Amino acid sequence: MRALTTLLAALAFAATAAAQTQPAKLGPAFEQETYGKLPGTTDKNGKAVPGATVTQFTLINKNNVVLKCIEYGAIITELRVPDKDGKFADVVLGFDKLDDYLKGHPYFGTNAGRVANRIANAKFTLEGKEYKLADNNAPHTLHGGKAGFDKKLWKGEASLTATGPSVKFSYVSPDGEEGYPGKLTVTVSYTLTDNNELVIDYRATTDKTTICNLAHHSYFNLAGHNAGPIAEHEAEFAAKNYTPGDETLIPTGKVAPVDGTPFDFTKKKAMGKDLEKAGGKPVGFDLNYVLDKGVTERPEFAARVTDPKSGRTLEVFTTEPGLQFYTGNFLDGTNVGKGGAAYKQHTAFCLEPQKFPDSVNKPEWKDKSNVVLKPGETYKQTTVYKFGVSK
Ligand code: BGC
């Protein structure tokens, strides 16, 4: 009798889960399926070359938390987490299909690279040689250039690891790609633990001295990807300092205290409280915090965000010294996302652990934010996004 009751409960649960577009399996588990096909090309003899298939992976943990990601850009397309009453919502912005990602978008769910954030005037000098980059955020370069890691086809491989279902994406960036020296061999893995943590691990090696600074770029809204303004989300950062920048968001090279500025999140504060005072064009937060902990071997606490209504919380832990906080200032409703959602200004936030922006051009930051990678060295980053609830 008890077996029957359990079976019926399991079936009912599976039916509800299916209604919420949850995968059929319960975790820890993973599934994979074809997501779409990249457009075909023609080779140098004019022969049609069919576009590559893009696989989607679904990771699910024992609490029914679901993460979906695709080989194109190693993009996280969906992340469903419970609220204080156990109700699930998808808390990341994104699209329903590959075509929408191909049309161009502001880095939803991507990993910015080979160098995240801005490099002033799209150039840098390394070992006495000047390198020119694409000025895709004129006059600067942004998030790896015209076709950064967000637009590359990665190779994904899923497995059940000791800490949870995981996907490891690999990509080899050729020497000279987007103007950067050295062939860079990169992996990024997403692991979903039973503690509702998304663990992101990056590794990269090079065959020539180069620069590397990767950053995860999901746009979060803890009330749900289509829930409107994030003004009431409360944030707290373990950062007493930030790197002030000019009006084009290039840091001056100074490290300044947040105390007495609108950027002070050392104590819990609603994101909307000082958002207008933060200035900027368009207005909102878009700056790099200097985490008090500096570079660490293991991920350490960086930030906590709470959505008081749903009770969902997000904590960020990282090995990185910097944290870019961005409140979706450039969103203007033209990106029509999942289920037809028009993503408007300030309806999501990004918390992007990374080295400080434009570090390659800031010799004064060499010790606290070194982006140079040499042959024989391994670039390593671990960042943890941990979801919870506060009642
Ligand atoms: C940057 C913003 C930029 C956005 C692009 C963020 O990481 O801080 O300035 O507009 O990425 O999506």
Side-chain angles (χ1 to χ4, degrees), residues 313-354:
T313 60
L314 168 62
E315 287 178 303
V316 183
F317 303 82
T318 186
T319 51
E320 298 308 278
L323 180 73
Q324 185 81 14
F325 174 45
Y326 172 59
T327 43
N329 314 337
F330 286 96
L331 297 178
D332 59 6
T334 52
N335 288 113
V336 178
K338 291 177 271 193
Y343 297 131
K344 300 209 179 95
Q345 192 183 39
H346 306 147
T347 61
F349 65 92
C350 300
L351 284 174
E352 312 160 39
Q354 58 189 265

Short mmCIF file of all heavy atoms in Angstrom, two decimals, residues 313-354:
data_model
loop_
_atom_site.label_atom_id
_atom_site.label_comp_id
_atom_site.label_asym_id
_atom_site.label_seq_id
_atom_site.Cartn_x
_atom_site.Cartn_y
_atom_site.Cartn_z
N THR A 313 16.99 34.10 -2.31
CA THR A 313 18.28 34.76 -2.05
C THR A 313 19.32 34.20 -3.01
O THR A 313 19.22 33.06 -3.48
CB THR A 313 18.76 34.52 -0.61
OG1 THR A 313 18.92 33.10 -0.42
CG2 THR A 313 17.80 35.07 0.41
N LEU A 314 20.32 35.02 -3.28
CA LEU A 314 21.46 34.59 -4.10
C LEU A 314 22.72 35.06 -3.40
O LEU A 314 22.85 36.25 -3.07
CB LEU A 314 21.38 35.24 -5.49
CG LEU A 314 22.63 35.12 -6.37
CD1 LEU A 314 22.95 33.66 -6.68
CD2 LEU A 314 22.44 35.89 -7.68
N GLU A 315 23.61 34.11 -3.12
CA GLU A 315 24.92 34.47 -2.56
C GLU A 315 25.98 34.15 -3.60
O GLU A 315 25.88 33.14 -4.29
CB GLU A 315 25.18 33.68 -1.29
CG GLU A 315 24.34 34.15 -0.13
CD GLU A 315 24.59 33.30 1.11
OE1 GLU A 315 24.41 32.06 1.00
OE2 GLU A 315 24.99 33.85 2.13
N VAL A 316 26.98 35.01 -3.68
CA VAL A 316 28.06 34.81 -4.64
C VAL A 316 29.37 34.64 -3.89
O VAL A 316 29.68 35.43 -2.98
CB VAL A 316 28.17 36.00 -5.63
CG1 VAL A 316 29.24 35.74 -6.67
CG2 VAL A 316 26.83 36.28 -6.29
N PHE A 317 30.11 33.61 -4.25
CA PHE A 317 31.43 33.33 -3.69
C PHE A 317 32.39 33.24 -4.88
O PHE A 317 32.03 32.68 -5.91
CB PHE A 317 31.45 32.00 -2.93
CG PHE A 317 30.43 31.92 -1.83
CD1 PHE A 317 29.10 31.60 -2.11
CD2 PHE A 317 30.79 32.17 -0.51
CE1 PHE A 317 28.15 31.53 -1.10
CE2 PHE A 317 29.84 32.10 0.51
CZ PHE A 317 28.52 31.79 0.21
N THR A 318 33.59 33.73 -4.72
CA THR A 318 34.50 33.69 -5.87
C THR A 318 35.97 33.72 -5.45
O THR A 318 36.30 34.15 -4.34
CB THR A 318 34.22 34.87 -6.83
OG1 THR A 318 35.01 34.72 -8.01
CG2 THR A 318 34.53 36.22 -6.20
N THR A 319 36.81 33.27 -6.39
CA THR A 319 38.26 33.38 -6.20
C THR A 319 38.76 34.75 -6.69
O THR A 319 39.90 35.10 -6.44
CB THR A 319 38.97 32.31 -7.06
OG1 THR A 319 38.46 32.41 -8.42
CG2 THR A 319 38.72 30.92 -6.53
N GLU A 320 37.90 35.49 -7.41
CA GLU A 320 38.33 36.71 -8.12
C GLU A 320 38.42 37.93 -7.19
O GLU A 320 37.74 37.99 -6.18
CB GLU A 320 37.38 36.99 -9.29
CG GLU A 320 37.37 35.89 -10.32
CD GLU A 320 38.76 35.51 -10.79
OE1 GLU A 320 39.30 36.19 -11.66
OE2 GLU A 320 39.33 34.52 -10.26
N PRO A 321 39.21 38.94 -7.58
CA PRO A 321 39.35 40.13 -6.74
C PRO A 321 38.30 41.21 -7.00
O PRO A 321 38.11 42.11 -6.20
CB PRO A 321 40.73 40.67 -7.14
CG PRO A 321 40.88 40.26 -8.58
CD PRO A 321 40.16 38.94 -8.72
N GLY A 322 37.62 41.14 -8.18
CA GLY A 322 36.67 42.19 -8.55
C GLY A 322 35.27 41.64 -8.76
O GLY A 322 35.08 40.44 -8.96
N LEU A 323 34.29 42.55 -8.67
CA LEU A 323 32.89 42.17 -8.89
C LEU A 323 32.21 43.29 -9.65
O LEU A 323 32.04 44.39 -9.11
CB LEU A 323 32.19 41.96 -7.54
CG LEU A 323 30.73 41.56 -7.61
CD1 LEU A 323 30.59 40.11 -8.07
CD2 LEU A 323 30.05 41.73 -6.24
N GLN A 324 31.86 43.03 -10.92
CA GLN A 324 31.12 44.03 -11.69
C GLN A 324 29.64 43.91 -11.32
O GLN A 324 29.08 42.82 -11.37
CB GLN A 324 31.31 43.80 -13.19
CG GLN A 324 30.67 44.86 -14.08
CD GLN A 324 31.50 46.13 -14.24
OE1 GLN A 324 32.69 46.15 -13.89
NE2 GLN A 324 30.90 47.20 -14.73
N PHE A 325 29.05 45.03 -10.93
CA PHE A 325 27.63 45.08 -10.59
C PHE A 325 26.96 45.93 -11.66
O PHE A 325 27.32 47.10 -11.86
CB PHE A 325 27.45 45.70 -9.21
CG PHE A 325 26.01 45.93 -8.80
CD1 PHE A 325 25.04 44.95 -9.00
CD2 PHE A 325 25.63 47.11 -8.18
CE1 PHE A 325 23.72 45.16 -8.61
CE2 PHE A 325 24.32 47.33 -7.78
CZ PHE A 325 23.37 46.36 -8.00
N TYR A 326 26.01 45.32 -12.36
CA TYR A 326 25.37 46.00 -13.50
C TYR A 326 23.86 45.79 -13.37
O TYR A 326 23.41 44.65 -13.17
CB TYR A 326 25.92 45.39 -14.80
CG TYR A 326 25.22 45.85 -16.05
CD1 TYR A 326 25.15 47.20 -16.38
CD2 TYR A 326 24.62 44.94 -16.93
CE1 TYR A 326 24.50 47.63 -17.53
CE2 TYR A 326 23.97 45.35 -18.08
CZ TYR A 326 23.92 46.69 -18.38
OH TYR A 326 23.27 47.11 -19.51
N THR A 327 23.09 46.87 -13.48
CA THR A 327 21.64 46.77 -13.25
C THR A 327 20.82 46.83 -14.56
O THR A 327 19.72 47.37 -14.57
CB THR A 327 21.17 47.86 -12.26
OG1 THR A 327 21.79 49.11 -12.58
CG2 THR A 327 21.52 47.48 -10.83
N GLY A 328 21.38 46.27 -15.61
CA GLY A 328 20.62 46.19 -16.88
C GLY A 328 20.22 47.56 -17.40
O GLY A 328 19.12 47.74 -17.94
N ASN A 329 21.15 48.53 -17.28
CA ASN A 329 20.84 49.92 -17.66
C ASN A 329 20.54 50.07 -19.15
O ASN A 329 19.77 50.94 -19.54
CB ASN A 329 22.01 50.84 -17.30
CG ASN A 329 22.52 50.59 -15.89
OD1 ASN A 329 21.78 50.07 -15.06
ND2 ASN A 329 23.76 50.93 -15.62
N PHE A 330 21.16 49.20 -19.97
CA PHE A 330 20.98 49.32 -21.42
C PHE A 330 19.76 48.54 -21.92
O PHE A 330 19.42 48.62 -23.09
CB PHE A 330 22.23 48.82 -22.17
CG PHE A 330 23.38 49.79 -22.10
CD1 PHE A 330 24.38 49.64 -21.15
CD2 PHE A 330 23.47 50.86 -22.98
CE1 PHE A 330 25.45 50.53 -21.08
CE2 PHE A 330 24.53 51.76 -22.92
CZ PHE A 330 25.53 51.60 -21.97
N LEU A 331 19.10 47.76 -21.05
CA LEU A 331 17.90 47.03 -21.49
C LEU A 331 16.81 48.05 -21.79
O LEU A 331 16.60 48.98 -21.00
CB LEU A 331 17.42 46.06 -20.40
CG LEU A 331 18.38 44.93 -20.01
CD1 LEU A 331 17.77 44.10 -18.87
CD2 LEU A 331 18.68 44.03 -21.20
N ASP A 332 16.14 47.90 -22.93
CA ASP A 332 15.14 48.91 -23.29
C ASP A 332 13.86 48.30 -23.85
O ASP A 332 13.08 48.96 -24.53
CB ASP A 332 15.74 49.90 -24.30
CG ASP A 332 16.22 49.20 -25.56
OD1 ASP A 332 15.98 47.97 -25.69
OD2 ASP A 332 16.83 49.85 -26.41
N GLY A 333 13.66 47.02 -23.57
CA GLY A 333 12.43 46.37 -24.01
C GLY A 333 12.50 45.80 -25.42
O GLY A 333 11.58 45.13 -25.87
N THR A 334 13.61 46.06 -26.13
CA THR A 334 13.69 45.55 -27.51
C THR A 334 14.10 44.08 -27.56
O THR A 334 13.90 43.41 -28.56
CB THR A 334 14.68 46.38 -28.38
OG1 THR A 334 15.91 46.45 -27.68
CG2 THR A 334 14.16 47.77 -28.65
N ASN A 335 14.69 43.56 -26.48
CA ASN A 335 15.00 42.13 -26.44
C ASN A 335 13.77 41.39 -25.97
O ASN A 335 13.38 41.50 -24.80
CB ASN A 335 16.16 41.84 -25.48
CG ASN A 335 17.48 42.33 -26.03
OD1 ASN A 335 18.08 43.25 -25.50
ND2 ASN A 335 17.93 41.74 -27.13
N VAL A 336 13.12 40.67 -26.89
CA VAL A 336 11.92 39.92 -26.51
C VAL A 336 12.37 38.51 -26.17
O VAL A 336 12.85 37.76 -27.00
CB VAL A 336 10.87 39.95 -27.63
CG1 VAL A 336 9.66 39.12 -27.23
CG2 VAL A 336 10.46 41.38 -27.90
N GLY A 337 12.24 38.18 -24.90
CA GLY A 337 12.81 36.95 -24.38
C GLY A 337 11.82 35.83 -24.23
O GLY A 337 10.80 35.76 -24.94
N LYS A 338 12.10 34.97 -23.27
CA LYS A 338 11.30 33.75 -23.06
C LYS A 338 9.83 34.08 -22.86
O LYS A 338 9.50 35.02 -22.11
CB LYS A 338 11.86 32.99 -21.84
CG LYS A 338 13.23 32.40 -22.12
CD LYS A 338 13.82 31.71 -20.90
CE LYS A 338 14.61 32.65 -20.06
NZ LYS A 338 15.46 31.95 -19.05
N GLY A 339 8.98 33.35 -23.54
CA GLY A 339 7.53 33.54 -23.39
C GLY A 339 7.06 34.92 -23.82
O GLY A 339 6.03 35.39 -23.37
N GLY A 340 7.86 35.62 -24.65
CA GLY A 340 7.46 36.95 -25.14
C GLY A 340 7.79 38.08 -24.18
O GLY A 340 7.34 39.22 -24.39
N ALA A 341 8.58 37.82 -23.15
CA ALA A 341 8.92 38.86 -22.16
C ALA A 341 9.75 39.96 -22.81
O ALA A 341 10.75 39.68 -23.45
CB ALA A 341 9.72 38.23 -21.03
N ALA A 342 9.31 41.21 -22.64
CA ALA A 342 10.10 42.35 -23.15
C ALA A 342 10.94 42.85 -21.99
O ALA A 342 10.42 43.40 -21.03
CB ALA A 342 9.17 43.43 -23.66
N TYR A 343 12.25 42.64 -22.08
CA TYR A 343 13.13 42.96 -20.95
C TYR A 343 13.45 44.45 -20.92
O TYR A 343 14.19 44.96 -21.75
CB TYR A 343 14.40 42.12 -21.03
CG TYR A 343 14.15 40.63 -20.92
CD1 TYR A 343 14.72 39.74 -21.83
CD2 TYR A 343 13.36 40.11 -19.89
CE1 TYR A 343 14.51 38.37 -21.72
CE2 TYR A 343 13.14 38.74 -19.78
CZ TYR A 343 13.71 37.88 -20.70
OH TYR A 343 13.50 36.53 -20.57
N LYS A 344 12.89 45.14 -19.93
CA LYS A 344 13.03 46.59 -19.85
C LYS A 344 14.19 46.97 -18.92
O LYS A 344 14.70 46.13 -18.17
CB LYS A 344 11.73 47.21 -19.32
CG LYS A 344 10.55 46.91 -20.21
CD LYS A 344 9.51 48.02 -20.11
CE LYS A 344 8.34 47.75 -21.02
NZ LYS A 344 7.23 47.06 -20.33
N GLN A 345 14.54 48.26 -18.96
CA GLN A 345 15.65 48.79 -18.15
C GLN A 345 15.45 48.46 -16.65
O GLN A 345 14.34 48.56 -16.14
CB GLN A 345 15.69 50.32 -18.33
CG GLN A 345 16.96 50.92 -17.76
CD GLN A 345 16.99 52.43 -17.87
OE1 GLN A 345 15.97 53.10 -17.67
NE2 GLN A 345 18.15 52.98 -18.18
N HIS A 346 16.53 48.04 -16.02
CA HIS A 346 16.56 47.78 -14.57
C HIS A 346 15.63 46.64 -14.15
O HIS A 346 15.06 46.67 -13.06
CB HIS A 346 16.22 49.04 -13.75
CG HIS A 346 17.07 50.22 -14.11
ND1 HIS A 346 16.63 51.52 -14.07
CD2 HIS A 346 18.36 50.29 -14.52
CE1 HIS A 346 17.60 52.34 -14.45
NE2 HIS A 346 18.67 51.61 -14.72
N THR A 347 15.43 45.66 -15.04
CA THR A 347 14.60 44.51 -14.65
C THR A 347 15.45 43.28 -14.38
O THR A 347 14.93 42.17 -14.28
CB THR A 347 13.53 44.19 -15.72
OG1 THR A 347 14.20 43.86 -16.94
CG2 THR A 347 12.58 45.34 -15.94
N ALA A 348 16.77 43.47 -14.30
CA ALA A 348 17.67 42.35 -13.99
C ALA A 348 18.99 42.94 -13.51
O ALA A 348 19.26 44.13 -13.72
CB ALA A 348 17.92 41.51 -15.23
N PHE A 349 19.77 42.09 -12.84
CA PHE A 349 21.10 42.54 -12.41
C PHE A 349 22.12 41.46 -12.75
O PHE A 349 21.80 40.27 -12.79
CB PHE A 349 21.12 42.85 -10.90
CG PHE A 349 20.89 41.64 -10.03
CD1 PHE A 349 21.94 40.88 -9.55
CD2 PHE A 349 19.59 41.25 -9.71
CE1 PHE A 349 21.71 39.75 -8.77
CE2 PHE A 349 19.35 40.12 -8.93
CZ PHE A 349 20.42 39.37 -8.46
N CYS A 350 23.36 41.90 -13.00
CA CYS A 350 24.47 40.96 -13.20
C CYS A 350 25.45 41.16 -12.05
O CYS A 350 25.71 42.30 -11.65
CB CYS A 350 25.22 41.27 -14.49
SG CYS A 350 24.23 41.17 -15.98
N LEU A 351 25.96 40.06 -11.54
CA LEU A 351 27.06 40.10 -10.57
C LEU A 351 28.16 39.26 -11.19
O LEU A 351 28.06 38.04 -11.22
CB LEU A 351 26.63 39.54 -9.22
CG LEU A 351 25.75 40.45 -8.37
CD1 LEU A 351 25.26 39.73 -7.13
CD2 LEU A 351 26.47 41.74 -7.99
N GLU A 352 29.18 39.94 -11.70
CA GLU A 352 30.19 39.28 -12.54
C GLU A 352 31.55 39.31 -11.86
O GLU A 352 32.28 40.29 -11.99
CB GLU A 352 30.32 40.00 -13.88
CG GLU A 352 29.04 40.31 -14.59
CD GLU A 352 29.25 41.43 -15.62
OE1 GLU A 352 30.29 41.46 -16.30
OE2 GLU A 352 28.38 42.29 -15.72
N PRO A 353 31.92 38.24 -11.16
CA PRO A 353 33.27 38.18 -10.59
C PRO A 353 34.31 38.16 -11.70
O PRO A 353 34.13 37.47 -12.72
CB PRO A 353 33.26 36.87 -9.80
CG PRO A 353 31.82 36.62 -9.51
CD PRO A 353 31.10 37.11 -10.73
N GLN A 354 35.37 38.90 -11.54
CA GLN A 354 36.40 39.01 -12.58
C GLN A 354 37.59 39.79 -12.04
O GLN A 354 37.56 40.30 -10.92
CB GLN A 354 35.83 39.73 -13.80
CG GLN A 354 35.30 41.13 -13.51
CD GLN A 354 34.52 41.76 -14.67
OE1 GLN A 354 35.09 42.50 -15.45
NE2 GLN A 354 33.23 41.47 -14.77
#
